[in-house]
């Protein structure tokens, strides 16, 4: 058994200390999604919510192939950013997130047409 607190309990505690809306904004989800997770009725991808909670509320970090060590929540934010060829770092992040990064939650197929259109 781990000494790490359960991510759902951390989410519940954060909501009790603040508000569901504030915590939802902090993890990048709607307050309705947070409510559903806490009630056990969330129909979306719980693994993604868990990773958002671990990154934003539990200080989890990942090793990015482009940036190096960064908070898990920041990694998720980079993955959600649409393709914008405005600077080389942004392009490298976009490609790494969709090119087999072990931390990626996005699929390469869903975004490959966007990059080729630009």
């Amino acid at each position: 058994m781990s000494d790490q607190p359960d991510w759902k309990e951390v989410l519940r505690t954060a909501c009790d200390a603040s508000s569901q809306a504030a915590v939802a904004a902090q993890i990048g989800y709607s307050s309705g999604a947070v409510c559903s997770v806490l009630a056990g009725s969330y129909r979306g991808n719980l693994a993604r919510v868990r990773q958002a909670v671990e990154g934003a509320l539990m200080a989890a970090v990942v090793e990015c192939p482009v940036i190096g060590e960064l908070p898990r929540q920041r990694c998720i934010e980079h993955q959600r950013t649409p393709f914008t060829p405005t600077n080389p770092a942004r392009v490298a992040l976009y490609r790494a997130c969709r090119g087999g990064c072990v931390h990626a939650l996005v699929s390469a197929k869903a975004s490959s047409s966007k990059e080729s259109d630009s």
Side-chain angles (χ1 to χ4, degrees), residues 75 78-79 90 92-101 104-107:
C75 172
H78 283 301
Q79 292 177 53
R90 183 69 230 128
L93 278 166
Y94 183 88
R95 288 183 177 157
C97 290
R98 287 150 185 83
C101 177
L105 302 172
V106 294
S107 69

Side-chain angles (χ1 to χ4, degrees), residues 5 17 20-21 29-31 41 45-46 48-49 52 56 62 64 68 71 75 79 81 93 96 106 111-112:
Q20 265 184 240
Y29 281 84
S30 69
S31 57
S41 60
N45 187 330
L46 274 177
R48 288 183 180 182
V49 178
V62 297
C64 174
C75 172
Q79 292 177 53
T81 303
L93 278 166
V106 294
S111 55
S112 62

Side-chain angles (χ1 to χ4, degrees), residues 11-96:
L11 180 62
R12 186 178 317 283
T13 301
C15 289
D16 290 346
S18 179
S19 71
Q20 265 184 240
V23 173
Q26 191 176 358
I27 67 169
Y29 281 84
S30 69
S31 57
V34 170
C35 181
S36 295
V37 168
L38 293 174
S41 60
Y42 185 67
R43 294 181 177 252
N45 187 330
L46 274 177
R48 288 183 180 182
V49 178
R50 177 185 52 81
Q51 290 175 350
V53 170
E54 289 173 348
L57 304 176
M58 300 172 75
V61 295
V62 297
E63 187 66 31
C64 174
V66 176
I67 297 174
E69 189 176 280
L70 77 157
R72 178 70 181 135
Q73 185 60 22
R74 190 73 183 119
C75 172
I76 293 168
E77 290 168 8
H78 283 301
Q79 292 177 53
R80 289 179 176 168
T81 303
F83 181 72
T84 51
T86 54
N87 88 31
R90 183 69 230 128
V91 172
L93 278 166
Y94 183 88
R95 288 183 177 157

